[in-house]
Each structure stands twice: as structure tokens, then as C-alpha cells.
Amino acid sequence: MPHESTPAPGTAATAPVFSPALTPEEGHTAATTLFREVFGTEPDGVWYAPGRVNIMGEHTDYNGGLALPIALPHRAHLALRRREDRTIRLVSPQTRETVDVLDLDAIGPKGTPGEVRHWNAYVAGVAWALEQDGLGPLTGFDAALYSCVPLGGGLSSSAALEASTCVALDEVCGLGLAGTAQEPDDAGRARLVRSCVRAENEMAGAPTGGMDQSASLRCHEGHALGLDCRTGETTQVPFDLAPAGLALLVIDTRAKHSLVDGQYGARRAACERSAKVLGVQLLADIDVNGLDHALARLAACGEDSAAELVMRTRHVVTEIDRTRRLIALLQEGRPLAGDTLAQVGALLNGSHDSLRDDYECTCPELDLAVEAARAAGAHGARMTGGGFGGSAIALVDADKVDEVARAVVAAYAEAGFTPPAFLNAVPSAPAGRLA
Ligand code: ADP
Ligand code: MG
């Protein structure tokens, strides 16, 4: 796995360690070789799906707002062969040595007798969800997984599993919804997103919105995906960094804060409470021009948590506005330089500061990564994903990637933090089949 070569805490940590993306050929070979070894036959094909990183729009999805993810070049690769019966056999040596055997007729949601354990929930769960959503009947299948999306780093390794499974099943079971990565059927993919989200929510028990799955299935190369999380409507937003001499550095803090379990639920609950007090369905209904008025109403609502509701609401409404402004700026198509670049950087920085101060979902490792990157010349930097750990992004000149990464490594060493990992986030293609 990419993290294995990262130096242990306390050892000299000067050179940044980058997690490389497998090339399509490497991914094909790794998944096919594994499939042959384990199942003793040839797969029908190898399908892949990318992890994602969100450029802007954090904690906006469950509030019906906007997000702006890109697909990473880091992908889950799934070699799969359709079976005639209803058995599912799965192997991923990156987490466990064993082959797991499941019955598509016996599996069911978390907390029921058919509960599916660990990562199997993301793969078998998709087959279950597709059938529940009326897209079956499917058949069983054998599948071997090889992924280079860092696990649990906030880069959606879980959605990559779901999306690779559903494009594979779409083809071998003849659902006809996905199209190809080169010519995607976007409406069909929007339906597949719903089944992937259902698998994650009901089978894995993770209460996430649809941003991760949408990114993996609906992003285009060289673009970010402007996603309206309420309607599922998308816009392809030009975000080709290399021609502008820019790069997007992802800093995986590798921080895990166990004390924050339940904080995600607490943030969601605060947003729902605010919406109720303000008499709207979702916080996305609050226009940024009416924010002061809304905040005054929350402050005067008489609840003990009034101050908290003010802060959470201010983040959500301003974050949706920042995302709208960033999308508009990128859509103008002006070169990412000078004043335009400065505006993009300011929006990224504003997002982080709001997440740190109003949403209180950063952590010392995220704040330090962002500060160090900015001090080393990043045009803008922010945490990305749910927070409390996970990853940060920094928009940097392409020739300064190493310098900025080194500055973050040095700052972490000085603070005594576990060394971070890095990856280069190039806006890449959505889930599809490898030739
Ligand atoms: P993230 O999606 O941000 O990486 P999650 O906690 O949502 O974090 O998903 C991580 C989980 O996805 C892992 O705990 C594991 O169950 C599953 N997973 C991801 N990649 C793999 C893999 N290569 N092999 C097996 N399981 C994986
Ligand atoms: Mg996930």
C-alpha cells in the first residue's frame, strides 16, 4: 500500500513521501493476476473507479448545497467474473488474506441477520442495493480488488469500491446505465449513484451524502464536478491545472482523532435544528444576502445552543456562497493567474478558516498543514472532506510542489506529529472499464 514506505514517527522525516497512482496497465495487471491466482480462471474484465478530493463545498451536501469535487488518478481496480448462481466471492489482500463467500439472497442491511462485514459491505452491498432499487435481477460474481486510493484518508476509498462494482455489474449483467468513461451516460450514472449511496448508508452504516459516489461516477478529466447536492444536477467546471503551471497537492495528515466520534452527527443535528428554527427545509434555502438576518434570529431563539447554531449556519451559508463563486470564476475560463488565481486562493483560504472557526471540524494536524503550505507559497489551502483528520489540499505552482511538501513535513516534525503522506491530485476520468 502507498503508506508503507512512510517513515515511522520519530525517525528523520525530511523527504516528503508521495503515494503514486497505479497506471492503468499496472492496475489491470495487479487485479487480473490476483483474480487468476485466487479463482483459477480469467475475469470477464477489469473495471476501475477513482477516489476523489473536494475542491470546495464542505459539509454542504446534507444541507442541500453545492460541492466541487475532482476524480483522482488513484483508483480501485476490480477484476470481476459473472457467475451463473447467486454466490459472491471477494478478495482484497490489502486488508485480509481470506476469500469471503456471500449469498446475494441472504445479505441485508447493517443490524439485520444478513449484515455484511467490513469492506464486503461496499461491494456486495452495491449488488444488493441495485436489486433493491429495481435494477436487477443480477447474478453472483467473483471479484478481486486492488486499490491505490489511500484507505480512510478522506479521499473516498469506499466510494471507489462501490463505483467500480457498479460499473462492472452494469456491464456484465447488462443494466446498460453507465456508458463508458469516454462516453458516459450521465443520467444512467446518476441512478447508479443512488444505489451506491444506499449501499454505503444501509449496508455499511455510514450516513454520507452522495458527493463521493457522484465524483467517482460523474467527474470528467480536466474538470471539477459542480454538484447541486439537493437536485443531483451537475456542471462540468474546467479545472485543468497543468497548462496553468499549477498543481493541487493533497496532504494526508494521517491523523485519527477517536474522541470525535459522533461529531459528524452532532454537526448534522445542529444544521437540522437551525433549519427548523429558521423555518426552511434545508440551510441551502438561506440566501447569503439574508444571512445576517437569519443569524440574528438564531441568536435570539432562546435555546442553550443558540451560539452554536449561529456558527454552524454561518459556515454552511458562506461555504455554499464560496462554492458558487468559485464555480462562476472557473466557468469564466480566464487563465488561472494574477488576480483570478488570487481570488481562487482567497476562496480556498476562506473555506478553511470557516471550517476551523465556525464549524470547528479541523484539528491541529489539518491547521498546521494549511498554515505551513500557505507560508511556503501556496496560493490557497484548506482542509477537505469531513475533517477531524483526513486530508488538506494546497493549490501551488507546479514547480513548488516539492518545496511546499517539504515545508509541511518539517512543520510536522517540529510539532512531533506523525509524518504526513502526499499525493498529486490531477483531475481525472470517471469510473469505467480498462481495455
Ligand atoms: P475513505 O472512504 O475516506 O477512504 P471510509 O472509512 O469511508 O474512508 O472507507 C474506508 C473503508 O473502505 C475501509 O475501512 C475498508 O473497509 C474499505 N476499503 C477501501 N479500500 C479498500 C481496499 N483496497 N481493500 C479492502 N477494503 C477497502
Ligand atoms: Mg468513504
Side-chain angles (χ1 to χ4, degrees):
M1 286 298 284
H3 286 162
E4 275 172 10
S5 54
T6 306
T11 59
T14 46
V17 177
F18 278 77
S19 305
L22 293 179
T23 64
E25 295 73 30
E26 288 167 341
H28 192 280
T29 304
T32 309
T33 307
L34 176 63
F35 188 96
R36 282 192 197 119
E37 273 170 23
V38 173
F39 300 117
T41 177
E42 288 296 308
D44 292 333
V46 179
W47 289 263
Y48 69 85
R52 64 96 187 95
V53 68
N54 193 23
I55 308 304
M56 183 68 86
E58 224 58 81
H59 289 280
T60 52
D61 56 352
Y62 52 83
N63 288 300
L66 302 170
L68 189 65
I70 60 166
L72 292 171
H74 299 69
R75 299 164 164 180
H77 303 88
L78 194 73
L80 183 142
R81 183 182 173 102
R82 181 180 184 273
R83 296 173 60 98
E84 296 305 324
D85 59 16
R86 302 272 292 169
T87 299
I88 297 173
R89 294 192 296 171
L90 303 175
V91 65
S92 168
Q94 293 170 302
T95 50
R96 293 152 57 87
E97 291 305 320
T98 49
V99 178
D100 297 307
V101 182
L102 305 153
D103 175 356
L104 188 46
D105 289 320
I107 60 175
K110 196 175 171 77
T112 70
E115 172 170 319
V116 176
R117 292 178 48 235
H118 51 91
W119 69 278
N120 291 181
Y122 301 109
V123 176
V126 165
W128 174 86
L130 288 168
E131 288 198 334
Q132 293 292 313
D133 289 342
L135 298 172
L138 308 177
T139 62
F141 54 91
D142 294 334
L145 170 70
Y146 197 90
S147 176
C148 65
V149 185
L151 254 82
L155 302 174
S156 274
S157 67
S158 61
L161 263 54
E162 293 152 5
S164 58
T165 305
C166 81
V167 289
L169 294 179
D170 178 72
E171 188 171 334
V172 300
C173 295
L175 306 186
L177 288 168
T180 63
Q182 296 71 32
E183 287 187 43
D185 173 344
D186 194 56
R189 284 176 179 240
R191 285 188 74 182
L192 295 175
V193 165
R194 286 202 287 278
S195 299
C196 290
V197 173
R198 186 167 186 173
E200 180 127 6
N201 291 167
E202 296 182 35
M203 298 294 278
T208 58
M211 194 241 290
D212 305 348
Q213 295 80 5
S214 298
S216 194
L217 283 159
R218 301 178 72 188
C219 278
H220 287 184
E221 202 172 340
H223 291 75
L225 185 76
L227 178 66
D228 183 324
C229 299
R230 182 185 326 228
T231 62
E233 273 170 36
T234 60
T235 325
Q236 296 296 334
V237 181
F239 196 62
D240 206 359
L241 298 173
L246 295 168
L248 192 71
L249 177 67
V250 176
I251 307 155
D252 178 356
T253 65
R254 307 178 73 221
K256 299 259 180 293
H257 292 278
S258 54
L259 289 177
V260 300
D261 285 354
Q263 293 286 355
Y264 180 83
R267 295 297 179 283
R268 282 188 80 139
C271 291
E272 281 164 23
R273 188 77 207 119
S274 294
K276 197 156 187 201
V277 170
L278 295 171
V280 293
Q281 195 198 2
L282 292 162
L283 286 183
D285 291 327
I286 305 295
D287 189 273
V288 70
N289 295 317
L291 179 60
D292 288 346
H293 177 65
L295 296 183
R297 280 178 65 193
L298 288 170
C301 74
E303 296 195 11
D304 289 348
S305 59
E308 184 196 345
L309 299 188
V310 166
M311 288 159 67
R312 308 302 184 235
T313 303
R314 185 165 50 213
H315 166 71
V316 172
V317 176
T318 59
E319 182 78 355
I320 294 170
D321 183 56
R322 277 185 289 273
T323 311
R324 183 172 293 117
R325 282 159 51 198
L326 181 57
I327 291 173
L329 201 58
L330 295 171
Q331 294 277 37
E332 283 175 17
R334 274 192 260 136
L336 274 181
D339 188 44
T340 305
L341 181 55
Q343 286 181 54
V344 172
L347 288 168
L348 294 172
N349 290 339
S351 170
H352 184 82
D353 297 351
S354 174
L355 288 156
R356 181 191 60 212
D357 301 337
D358 274 342
Y359 222 64
E360 297 181 299
C361 66
T362 65
C363 62
E365 291 88 344
L366 282 168
D367 291 335
L368 186 59
V370 163
E371 274 165 36
R374 288 178 188 168
H379 299 287
R382 62 179 285 269
M383 61 151 273
T384 182
F388 305 112
S391 296
I393 53 171
L395 184 62
V396 298
D397 292 335
D399 58 5
K400 277 204 176 158
V401 168
D402 209 55
E403 194 178 319
V404 173
R406 276 177 189 277
V408 176
V409 169
Y412 268 47
E414 196 174 320
F417 293 158
T418 301
F422 298 89
L423 54 88
N424 232 321
V426 180
S428 299
R433 181 182 181 148
L434 289 175

